[in-house]
Every structure is written in C-alpha cells, then in structure tokens.
Amino acid sequence: MVELQNNIFIPRHVAIIMDGNGRWAEERNRPRLFGHKAGVDSVREVVETARTLGVAFLTLYAFSTENWGRPSSEVTGLMGLLKSFLQSELRTMLKNDVRLCCLGQQDRLPTDVQAVLQQTIAETRLCSGMTLNLALNYGGRNELVQAVRNLAEKCQEGALDWQDISEATISDHLFTAGQPDPDLLIRTGGENRLSNFLLWQACYTELYFTELKWPDFKKDQFLEAINIFNRRQRRFGKTGAQVKAE
Ligand code: FPP
C-alpha cells in the first residue's frame, strides 16, 4: 500500500492520458474493448481517490479528435462505455459533489451520448467538491482554432480590440475557461508524448510518465504519482535559489 508523504501538496488540477487499454487486452488475448472496459474500473477508482484527496480539477482524456480514425467497432464500443459510465455514475457524482464538464466539441458525438452528457452536466452543475473534465472529441490544436475564431469574430464585431488579446484572453476562450492549468499530467502506457492534449494549458505542467497500462493504474499508483510530483521543484523559469527564498 502506498502512503502519501508528510506535508503533501495536493495538486489542484491533475490531467491524465489514459493509455494502454488496447495493449493490456491484447496481452491477455482479448479484444481491445475488454481493455477499455477494464479501464473504466481505473477511471472510477482514480476519480474517487482524487475526490477524497481534495484534487479540485481532474481531467481525463477519454476520446481525442484523432480517435475517430480507429475501427468503427472500437469507436462504437467506446461511445457505449462512455454512455453507460455517465448513466451509472450520476448518483455517485451527486453524492460526492462532483461536477461534470466536457472539453471538446460535443456536436460530433453520437446524439444519444450528447443527450446523456448534457443531462449529467446539467444535473451536476452546482456540485463544488471537484470538477471532473472529460475530454471527448478533444484536440489541443482544434481547441486553439476554435478560440482564435471566436476572438477574431469578437474583434470583427467590435466587441474586442485586437491589442487587448493577451494570454489571459486566450485562456478564457478555451474549453477550460475559468479553470487553473494542470499542475500534474500523468500518462500511462509507456509513451512519452502529449498527443494533442492540453497543449496551451500544459505549458508549465509537471509531466509524469509510467510504463503501467491504464487498467493497472489504480489508487496506489495515483498516490505514487502525487508523491513523485511533490519531489519536483517547480521553478516557472526562475532559479532554484529564488524559488527556495519565496
Ligand atoms: C487509450 O488506450 C485509451 C483510449 C483511447 C480511451 C480511454 C477510454 C477509457 C479508459 C474508457 C472510457 C472512459 C470513460 C471516462 C468512461 P489505447 O486504446 O490507445 O491503448 P493502446 O495504446 O494499448 O492501443
């Protein structure tokens, strides 16, 4: 059992790339969807752990803009898992005061998934214990394109002066508007890349890569990631001595 170190700092925002479901299943000679189903158990356990620890924002990369290119049976299976997850977890989310948000353009999702998503977002909108962001049909570059279009439109209408566009204005036009940038980004599955996830927001995020595949990533592994995060020194461009003096 992993224990948290003393005087631990709980990151406000943790983002996770849940990779390795397919390979986890293939290692067991099972279809890829079997791995995604096992991944849902890890989602439940990690959401519950994050909530108990007091993480304020948890962002899960559940489906990228690139994932549409997967075999249609896998895409359909993933959409079904998402829908049943939302339906089965609504009561738990309300009980645990968890607000659901969606990062990504929802209009491309199947209409039944959109409906359940909208309902869950509406029913949990006043929950304030933790925000669970599901990145669905999400791509970091697509998010920036949407933000730029939005800003250009406001400038054209005269609602915004182009000279007033700042880093803050751009942040305010992303799907994560009003939320802090992630402190910690975890990627399971042994790949060391961002894969179009939170490209703007991860500017100063601590990255944690593990070989473990997502279905093997549970409470203990999440605690371990937080312990390791706590051993990092975040300098934000300053020197180590400056940070220590703060
Ligand atoms: C990446 O593993 C994982 C995904 C593309 C989907 C993640 C989805 C889940 C964990 C289940 C549904 C989510 C929720 C929130 C209920 P991969 O398939 O790319 O694995 P591989 O690299 O081993 O092929």
Side-chain angles (χ1 to χ4, degrees):
M1 206 180 90
V2 175
E3 298 214 352
L4 285 181
Q5 296 156 14
N6 290 332
N7 300 323
I8 202 90
F9 171 78
I10 300 297
R12 264 185 95 195
H13 187 170
V14 180
I16 309 184
I17 302 177
M18 309 179 288
D19 197 12
N21 294 343
R23 280 166 288 156
W24 186 90
E26 281 156 17
E27 281 167 8
R28 288 160 180 78
N29 295 316
R30 302 296 296 265
R32 294 177 56 83
L33 202 61
F34 180 74
H36 295 311
K37 279 186 187 151
V40 177
D41 293 336
S42 293
V43 168
R44 284 202 191 89
E45 192 163 321
V46 167
V47 171
E48 193 187 321
T49 307
R51 172 69 184 101
T52 308
L53 291 179
V55 170
F57 296 86
L58 177 69
T59 300
L60 302 179
Y61 204 6
F63 197 87
S64 74
T65 45
E66 289 74 29
N67 286 151
W68 295 110
R70 293 193 173 205
S72 63
S73 57
E74 185 171 339
V75 171
T76 309
L78 274 169
M79 291 299 148
L81 281 181
L82 275 164
K83 186 177 163 188
S84 57
F85 170 81
L86 293 170
Q87 285 168 328
S88 67
E89 295 307 301
L90 176 60
R91 277 175 53 150
T92 313
M93 282 190 231
L94 289 171
K95 190 177 86 182
N96 295 335
D97 205 19
V98 173
R99 174 176 75 132
L100 185 86
C101 289
C102 176
L103 312 183
Q105 286 186 289
Q106 292 172 43
D107 53 7
R108 201 178 159 190
L109 299 170
T111 47
D112 57 332
V113 176
Q114 285 185 46
V116 180
L117 196 54
Q118 280 309 319
Q119 193 196 346
T120 316
I121 290 170
E123 292 200 29
T124 62
R125 73 190 186 288
L126 298 177
C127 295
S128 57
M130 181 175 87
T131 296
L132 172 63
N133 290 320
L134 284 188
L136 291 172
N137 186 30
Y138 175 86
R141 286 189 168 189
N142 172 264
E143 179 179 41
L144 285 164
V145 169
Q146 302 310 321
V148 170
R149 282 188 183 163
N150 221 313
L151 289 166
E153 195 178 19
K154 286 185 181 168
C155 289
Q156 198 175 33
E157 286 167 352
L160 180 68
D161 189 334
W162 67 268
Q163 283 164 319
D164 290 333
I165 295 176
S166 63
E167 292 187 13
T169 332
I170 293 174
S171 293
D172 286 345
H173 287 77
L174 302 176
F175 295 121
T176 47
Q179 302 188 8
D181 288 340
D183 301 294
L184 169 65
L185 189 153
I186 298 169
R187 181 174 187 146
T188 61
E191 311 289 358
N192 300 348
R193 54 177 172 258
L194 282 181
S195 299
N196 206 9
F197 191 42
L198 303 176
L199 297 181
W200 174 274
Q201 300 89 332
C203 177
Y204 267 105
T205 301
E206 292 297 323
L207 307 179
Y208 173 80
F209 298 108
T210 168
E211 292 293 321
L212 286 172
K213 297 179 180 72
W214 178 247
D216 292 327
F217 194 90
K218 297 280 198 307
K219 179 181 177 181
D220 274 358
Q221 291 70 34
F222 188 69
L223 296 182
E224 176 68 3
I226 290 183
N227 277 337
I228 290 173
F229 165 78
N230 268 266
R231 288 180 220 135
R232 307 255 181 102
Q233 187 190 46
R234 303 187 75 191
R235 292 194 290 278
F236 298 98
K238 293 186 181 172
T239 68
Q242 282 177 305
V243 171
K244 275 196 187 130
E246 278 174 359

